[in-house]
Amino acid sequence: MRLAQEIEYVKFYVYLQQMRFEDKISCVFQVPDALMDCMVPTFCIQPLVENAIVHGLEPKDGKGKLIVQVIPSDNRMMEISIIDNGIGFESIPDVRNIRPSGEDSHAHVGLCNLDKRLELLFGPDACLRIGSVPETCTTISFRIPIRTEHEEGDHDIQTAGC
C-alpha cells in the first residue's frame, strides 16, 4: 500500500477519535511529500496510533498530543514513529517474547503481531523500538526500506500477508 493511502486511513481514524473525545486529542502529521508514494505494509501505522490513543492518551488527565512522523534515514530507509504525551509505559514490554496467558491475554498482542510482520517482511532491523518516559513521552518506531511500487520485485509487500 502507498504511504499516502495508509496516512489517509490514519487521519480518518484520528478524526473519529477526535469527534469522540472532542478537544482532548490533537494530532500532527509530519510526512514529507517525497515519501508519500513509497510502499508500506497495510495497516502498519494505524494500530500504533490506536494503541497510543487507547492506552496512552485516553486515560491521561488533560489534553493529549499525538505525532505521526515519517523521516528518511540512511541507506534508503525511512523511519516511522508514533509519538504521544500520554501515560506511557511503566516498563517497556518485550514484544518479541509476548505469550498470551491468563487474564491479561490480550496485552500487547497488536504490538507483537506488527513486530512479527515487520520482521518477516524486512528482517530484524525493522522490528519495533519502544521508548517511554511515563507521563511525558512515548515513542514507538520502526524502519523499513524506501521502495516505490515499481521497486517491489521479489519483496512484494502487497502479497506478503499484509
Side-chain angles (χ1 to χ4, degrees), residues 33 40 55-56 59 65 86 101 103 110 123 141 150 156:
D33 288 340
V40 297
H55 300 294
K65 184 171 185 177
S101 64
E103 64 193 46
S141 62
H150 304 293
D156 187 1

Side-chain angles (χ1 to χ4, degrees), residues 111-151:
L111 294 177
C112 181
N113 288 341
L114 179 58
D115 185 69
K116 285 179 183 175
R117 204 162 44 116
L118 291 169
E119 184 175 18
L120 286 171
L121 288 169
F122 305 110
D125 291 340
C127 293
L128 295 177
R129 292 180 310 283
I130 303 171
S132 186
V133 177
E135 303 296 332
T136 304
C137 180
T138 298
T139 301
I140 299 183
S141 62
F142 60 94
R143 289 172 34 117
I144 61 173
I146 293 175
R147 293 197 175 119
T148 63
E149 197 169 9
H150 304 293
E151 295 173 310

